[in-house]
Amino acid sequence: MSADEERLHRALLARVVEPGDEICGRWLRESGAGEVARRLAGGGQQLPGVTDTRWAGLRARAERADPERDLVMARDSGTRFVCPGDAEWPAQLDDLGDARPLGLWVRGRPSLRIWALRSVAVVGARACTEYGAHMASILGAGLAERGWVVVSGGAYGVDGATHRGALGAGGATVAVLACGVDRPYPRGHTQLINRIAEQGLVVGELPPGDHPTPSRFILRNRVIAALTRGTVVVEAAYRSGALVTARAAQRLGRFTMGVPGPASSSLSAGVHELLRGEAVLVTDAAEVAELVGDMGELAPARRGPVLPRDLLHQAAARVLAALPAREAASRQEIARGAGTSEDDAVARLYELRSLGFVERHGDGWKLTRQAAMSIGEGRE
C-alpha cells in the first residue's frame, strides 16, 4: 500500500473513530488501516471486540465520511495530515500503544518530530489565579529562552499564559487542540491560536471542522503527555484535566513536575497531591530544564544572600557574637563570652572595628548601630 493510500484510509478512520480508541488501535495493528477502512466503508465482515450496535454506528459514520474532501480542506487551510511512518511522525507517540493517534493534523511550518524531541508540557487550571498565570507565563518564557519547545492545550488560564510567555520570549510553542485545527477553540483564543500557527505549531487528532467534547479534552491530554519529555502542572484542583495529563505522563515514564501554591488554595490541592507522590517540585524554568534536560543542564545553587559577618574568621565571629546587642561590654566580659584570652579578644575587637562592626566606648566595646541591626535580624 502506498503512503498516499495509507493516509487516505487513516483520514477516513479519523472521521469515524474517536481519539484513543484502543479497540480500533488493535484492529490497525492486526489488520492494517486499509483492511479496517474497507470493512467499515465497504460493508465487510464485522471486526471483533464491538457489539452489533457499536459496529452499526461506526458504519454509519463511515458512510458519511469523505476523506478526500478532508485532506483538500486541510491543504487549503495550511494543514497537513502526519501519519505513523512519515518522516515527521514523533516516534514517542508510539509509547501509547493501541491508543496511539491515527494521525495528527498539523498547522505550522516547523517539523513536529524535530520540535517534539526537546519539548516540555506546561498545563494547569483554566480558572487560574493571578499567581498561576504569572508562574505559567514565566515558565513558558524561561523554557523558551533555554531552547525548549513549550507544549500546552491552548485553553484559558494556565495554558494561554504559558503560550503567551513562550511567544513573548520569541520562542517555540505547540498547542494541542481537542478539535479540528482549523477551528480554534476556545473562540476567545482565536487570535492566540492563529498566532501560534504562524510562529509555532497547532496540532490535533480530529479532522477539519470537528468540534470538541468533554471526553475529547480528556483524551487529548494523553497526546500532550506522550509528545513531551515531561509535564509541569501549575495550579490544579483535585478534579482537573491537568492531573489527567500528569498521570498519563507518569504511566508513560515521563517526568512529572508541580509548581507549589498556597497550602490553603483549592486550586493547588491537586498539585500538592502530585508532589506527595512521585512528582518533583519545581519553581522556575532552570529547575525544569535540570530535570528533563541533558547532563550538565543544572539549575543554579539556591542560597540566601552572603552577609559581611558570614565572611569573618571563626575566632572573630565568636568575639562579635559575645558582644551584647545594645550596651557596651568590657574586654574581660567579651573574652569570657568568646571563650578566649583577653589579648586575643582585644586583637579581634580592633579587627572588627576596622571592618565597621564595633566601636570603642571608653574602656568598653559596643556594636555599631548597623552591626547591631544586622546581627539582631540574624538572631531572629
Side-chain angles (χ1 to χ4, degrees):
M1 183 188 303
S2 70
D4 288 341
E5 290 174 326
E6 176 82 6
R7 197 176 318 281
L8 190 65
H9 293 143
R10 285 181 175 270
L12 181 144
L13 294 173
R15 184 66 75 177
V16 173
V17 180
E18 285 297 305
D21 189 320
E22 294 190 48
I23 294 175
C24 180
R26 190 178 74 246
W27 293 343
L28 289 173
R29 175 168 47 83
E30 294 175 350
S31 305
E35 178 64 15
V36 175
R38 184 189 69 79
R39 292 207 197 181
L40 282 168
Q45 183 180 0
Q46 179 173 326
L47 288 160
V50 293
T51 63
D52 293 345
T53 302
R54 174 85 191 285
W55 181 255
L58 294 173
R59 286 286 313 281
R61 280 190 173 189
E63 288 174 3
R64 294 192 301 270
D66 188 347
E68 291 94 344
R69 183 191 62 187
D70 285 341
L71 291 171
V72 169
M73 287 176 60
R75 283 195 296 270
D76 290 345
S77 66
T79 301
R80 57 194 180 275
F81 188 47
V82 178
C83 298
D86 289 347
E88 193 180 352
W89 180 257
Q92 57 266 48
L93 290 178
D94 298 342
D95 293 346
L96 289 168
D98 288 341
R100 179 182 70 173
L102 294 162
L104 290 175
W105 306 83
V106 181
R107 281 177 66 195
R109 291 184 293 274
S111 166
L112 177 61
R113 182 181 69 84
I114 297 300
W115 272 29
L117 291 174
R118 189 175 164 85
S119 63
V120 179
V122 181
V123 296
R126 285 176 171 81
C128 67
T129 65
E130 289 186 11
Y131 164 77
H134 171 73
M135 291 304 300
S137 178
I138 62 173
L139 277 173
L143 287 166
E145 288 169 351
R146 285 167 171 78
W148 287 89
V149 176
V150 182
V151 179
S152 197
Y156 292 130
V158 165
D159 289 14
T162 300
H163 290 305
R164 290 189 181 94
L167 291 170
T173 188
V174 177
V176 182
L177 305 185
C179 56
V181 296
D182 62 332
R183 179 178 289 184
Y185 185 88
R187 291 184 180 179
H189 273 180
T190 297
Q191 185 176 358
L192 172 63
I193 292 170
N194 287 337
R195 185 182 170 197
I196 294 171
E198 292 172 2
Q199 294 184 222
L201 291 171
V202 177
V203 176
E205 293 181 79
L206 293 159
D210 228 341
H211 62 279
T213 64
S215 63
R216 288 173 172 178
F217 282 116
I218 297 299
L219 291 164
R220 177 273 313 269
N221 293 343
R222 83 194 193 288
V223 177
I224 295 176
L227 197 63
T228 54
R229 289 197 194 179
T231 295
V232 185
V233 183
V234 182
E235 287 195 328
Y238 284 123
R239 289 176 55 86
S240 170
L243 298 184
V244 174
T245 309
R247 289 171 185 138
Q250 289 177 335
R251 288 194 299 272
L252 292 165
R254 310 294 197 263
F255 294 104
T256 309
M257 295 151 279
V259 176
S264 58
S265 171
S266 61
L267 275 177
S268 289
V271 180
H272 296 159
E273 192 65 22
L274 278 179
L275 294 173
R276 283 169 53 82
E278 297 179 2
V280 177
L281 186 150
V282 293
T283 59
D284 61 19
E287 292 175 349
V288 175
E290 179 181 70
L291 189 64
V292 303
D294 300 323
M295 186 177 296
E297 291 189 55
L298 300 178
R302 311 292 178 174
R303 58 180 298 174
V306 177
L307 301 175
R309 65 176 183 271
D310 298 331
L311 304 176
L312 292 175
H313 186 276
Q314 189 176 9
R318 285 199 300 268
V319 169
L320 182 65
L323 272 82
R326 292 179 176 81
E327 62 271 5
S330 68
R331 63 182 185 180
Q332 293 87 352
E333 293 171 325
I334 295 169
R336 190 163 50 250
T340 187
S341 65
E342 291 185 22
D343 290 342
D344 181 62
V346 170
R348 299 300 177 185
L349 286 166
Y350 277 106
E351 177 186 341
L352 291 168
R353 187 176 72 169
S354 69
L355 296 172
F357 285 99
V358 301
E359 55 193 11
R360 188 166 182 179
H361 283 258
D363 292 332
W365 294 84
K366 185 178 181 182
L367 293 172
T368 61
R369 184 172 181 274
Q370 183 176 0
M373 292 175 60
S374 173
I375 291 172
E377 291 173 359
R379 287 173 179 168
E380 288 177 7

